[in-house]
Amino acid sequence: MTNDPFSHHPELAELITRPEDSFFRDFSINKLENILIDRGLPTGWWHTDEHRNSIREEALTEHRSEDLWIFAYGSLMWDPAIRFTEVRRALVDGYQRRFILKDIHGARGTREAPGLMAALDAGGECEGLAFRIDMEAIERETDILWRREFIGPAYFPVFVPAQIGEDTVNALTFVADFDAELIEPELSRTEQLDYLANGSGFLGYSADYLRNIARQFRLLGIEDDEVEGLVRELNQLEK
């Protein structure tokens, strides 16, 4: 195997944030709390470190004896924060990307002006990227990954078959937790576009989140009608 993690997709080398440059590489509850206090936003809604680590330990119990694949379908595709040895285009059957995560905690929206992000839900299929983590780095890198994805309730971790070229691997991904306040599966198109157009926070604009997904897909030749439709309608709304 080549030492270049981008050997299969050199076009992504300049479009995926280097781990050392990622906002999330040293993300923590303390860092988040300071940001929210500075912005006058509510605090205390997150998981404790102990609870978050218990979720991670349970998810990885039988998955530490070989390299670990992570399936990314949202912002992990351009800012995973983890050190990976390989990135590949991947397809997961039986799950679909849906824009049903209503951000109200300050990342890309607030309660007064919610933002919108994607979550994985059952049904259909989903294309994205898969990142390989070296077995010796699983503990360190998944700790960073969990602090990125599991600060508060929104997802739960599952392992899914991901097709990468001619091969199928067992990949970790993050699926919508319908008991979480942030997950709203019945959002109308009008609500989705409103949140995309107006949501913003310390991670940036919801509109940029959507367009970053579309950018990665165009480079990879991935056709996603939902993403392209939302981009098109958002562009029309902003004219």
Side-chain angles (χ1 to χ4, degrees):
M1 183 188 301
T2 176
N3 291 326
D4 178 10
F6 296 100
S7 60
H8 292 281
H9 298 292
E11 69 274 18
L12 294 177
E14 301 301 320
L15 294 177
I16 293 179
T17 303
R18 296 183 303 174
E20 59 269 25
D21 296 333
S22 175
F23 170 85
F24 292 105
R25 189 68 186 174
D26 64 349
F27 197 51
S28 66
I29 288 176
N30 287 340
K31 184 175 181 178
L32 174 63
E33 187 170 28
N34 289 335
I35 291 170
L36 297 181
I37 289 172
D38 286 345
R39 290 172 171 259
L41 294 172
T43 62
W45 44 263
W46 41 71
H47 293 312
T48 64
D49 288 339
E50 292 76 17
H51 180 60
R52 184 171 57 257
N53 282 327
S54 71
I55 296 172
R56 183 172 68 94
E57 289 297 327
E58 182 178 357
L60 297 174
T61 297
E62 299 178 2
H63 299 277
R64 296 178 183 272
S65 60
E66 59 184 4
D67 291 356
L68 178 67
W69 286 96
I70 308 295
F71 177 69
Y73 56 87
S75 60
L76 283 176
M77 290 194 294
W78 64 87
D79 186 11
I82 54 174
R83 298 192 188 280
F84 54 90
T85 57
E86 187 177 2
V87 58
R88 299 288 303 274
R89 175 174 170 174
L91 173 69
V92 168
D93 193 26
Y95 290 90
Q96 59 187 316
R97 179 187 302 98
R98 295 184 64 202
F99 287 84
I100 57 174
L101 196 161
K102 179 181 175 181
D103 186 4
I104 58 175
H105 290 316
R108 295 184 186 272
T110 62
R111 287 192 182 274
E112 293 72 28
L116 189 67
M117 293 185 285
L120 210 58
D121 192 12
E125 62 181 26
C126 183
E127 290 201 76
L129 294 177
F131 296 94
R132 185 202 291 264
I133 300 176
D134 187 84
M135 182 178 66
E136 285 73 23
I138 287 175
E139 183 66 25
R140 178 184 68 248
E141 300 305 321
T142 58
D143 177 55
I144 291 166
L145 182 65
W146 248 254
R147 284 189 277 115
R148 186 194 194 289
E149 296 297 291
F150 283 87
I151 283 290
Y155 306 116
F156 60 88
V158 298
F159 279 84
V160 297
Q163 184 177 342
I164 299 174
E166 298 299 320
D167 300 322
T168 300
V169 303
N170 201 26
L172 172 69
T173 194
F174 304 107
V175 175
D177 177 359
F178 286 93
D179 290 330
E181 180 186 13
L182 301 185
I183 299 298
E184 291 203 7
E186 304 302 326
L187 288 176
S188 68
R189 193 67 156 192
T190 298
E191 288 172 319
Q192 288 177 318
L193 290 168
D194 178 54
Y195 299 164
L196 287 167
N198 298 303
S200 67
F202 62 84
L203 292 182
Y205 295 95
S206 286
D208 290 341
Y209 171 91
L210 172 67
R211 290 178 174 129
N212 283 343
I213 294 176
R215 178 197 64 188
Q216 303 295 66
F217 282 2
R218 291 181 190 124
L219 282 173
L220 293 164
I222 294 175
E223 296 182 4
D224 188 298
D225 291 341
E226 178 70 1
V227 170
E228 291 300 330
L230 283 169
V231 169
R232 185 170 55 253
E233 292 175 48
L234 181 62
N235 290 341
Q236 293 172 346
L237 188 66
E238 291 178 344
K239 286 182 178 179

